[in-house]
Amino acid sequence: MPITLRPSQALRLWQQVGLAEVHGDAPDLTTRQMTILLTIYLDAPPHTVRGLAARLDVTKPVITRALDTMGALKLVSRHRDPLDRRNVLIKRTVEGALYVERFGDVIIARAAELPI
């Protein structure tokens, strides 16, 4: 069953999730970083820098900078593709999976608090 929100409810939900992230202990990512992370975790692998850049319609350096940050946080890891050494494969990590799951839980909790 689809969820129906009025624009004001959708914006309030986004605000409340953002506030929860800012007040929480987990690192807060930029919108671009979060979009890249969710693409890696929600879309089927394999993921490459080139593929992510094309999917998000940004340059490869944009993806690389975001992956540098997320790699330092252990949310993703990078490995050379053994079949084509020119490609860098982006892999999910346990830490990243837990981060994404926790983020989903925050969204659910804040959505439940929305006034009807």
Side-chain angles (χ1 to χ4, degrees), residues 36-111:
I36 294 167
L37 185 67
L38 291 176
T39 300
I40 292 166
Y41 280 85
L42 298 178
D43 293 355
H47 298 288
T48 63
V49 172
R50 182 180 301 127
L52 289 169
R55 171 89 164 91
L56 279 68
D57 195 26
V58 296
T59 64
K60 289 191 302 185
V62 165
I63 299 296
T64 299
R65 282 192 300 274
L67 292 174
D68 288 345
T69 298
M70 291 185 285
L73 297 170
K74 299 184 179 171
L75 301 177
V76 298
S77 64
R78 289 183 273 194
H79 307 277
R80 285 275 170 205
D81 183 347
L83 301 176
D84 183 348
R85 305 285 299 161
R86 295 171 297 172
N87 283 333
V88 175
L89 297 175
I90 314 309
K91 304 275 186 163
R92 300 168 181 165
T93 64
V94 171
E95 294 91 340
L98 292 172
Y99 182 93
V100 169
E101 184 176 347
R102 182 205 53 79
F103 190 75
D105 290 341
V106 169
I107 294 170
I108 292 167
R110 294 307 178 262

